[in-house]
Amino acid sequence: VDIEAYGMGRQRDVMALAQLSCTPVEQAQLQMLQGADLEAAFYRQWCVKEAYFKCLGTGMDVSSVRLVEAVEALEAVEPPTAQRTPLA
């Protein structure tokens, strides 16, 4: 499911989505943010995880996406010389 494509322009409960798709550490990082910063950090995490599972070719489901931290996923597929923007 492409969460950014459905209901564009609609307000989302980003923290409720984070509970479904983020590790406890990621959720704690997101809870320190508000407004646009919170949304941007969540969508960065989501996009990294989505790319990671596409790279693996396994598909994404709630049980697997909650087990992988975005930082770990990024490091698993990112060349070591690439610059990285902080996820949260």
Side-chain angles (χ1 to χ4, degrees):
V1 173
D2 244 345
I3 62 172
E4 70 274 14
Y6 293 98
M8 293 190 62
R10 206 175 69 189
Q11 287 246 277
R12 291 187 177 85
D13 183 348
V14 175
M15 287 310 300
L17 292 171
Q19 289 176 349
L20 296 174
S21 63
C22 295
T23 67
V25 170
E26 291 169 329
Q27 289 178 47
Q29 292 169 339
L30 291 172
Q31 286 176 342
M32 294 187 296
L33 303 172
Q34 296 179 19
D37 291 336
L38 170 61
E39 283 193 33
F42 170 77
Y43 285 117
R44 278 193 302 272
Q45 288 180 348
W46 178 267
C47 289
V48 167
K49 290 181 182 202
E50 184 176 39
Y52 174 73
F53 285 101
K54 284 182 180 180
C55 183
L56 292 178
T58 61
M60 244 173 109
D61 62 55
V62 173
S63 61
S64 59
V65 76
R66 288 178 59 190
L67 298 176
V68 175
E69 285 197 27
V71 171
E72 292 171 0
L74 187 59
E75 289 171 351
V77 296
E78 179 182 52
T81 57
Q83 283 189 325
R84 182 170 38 151
T85 303
L87 295 174

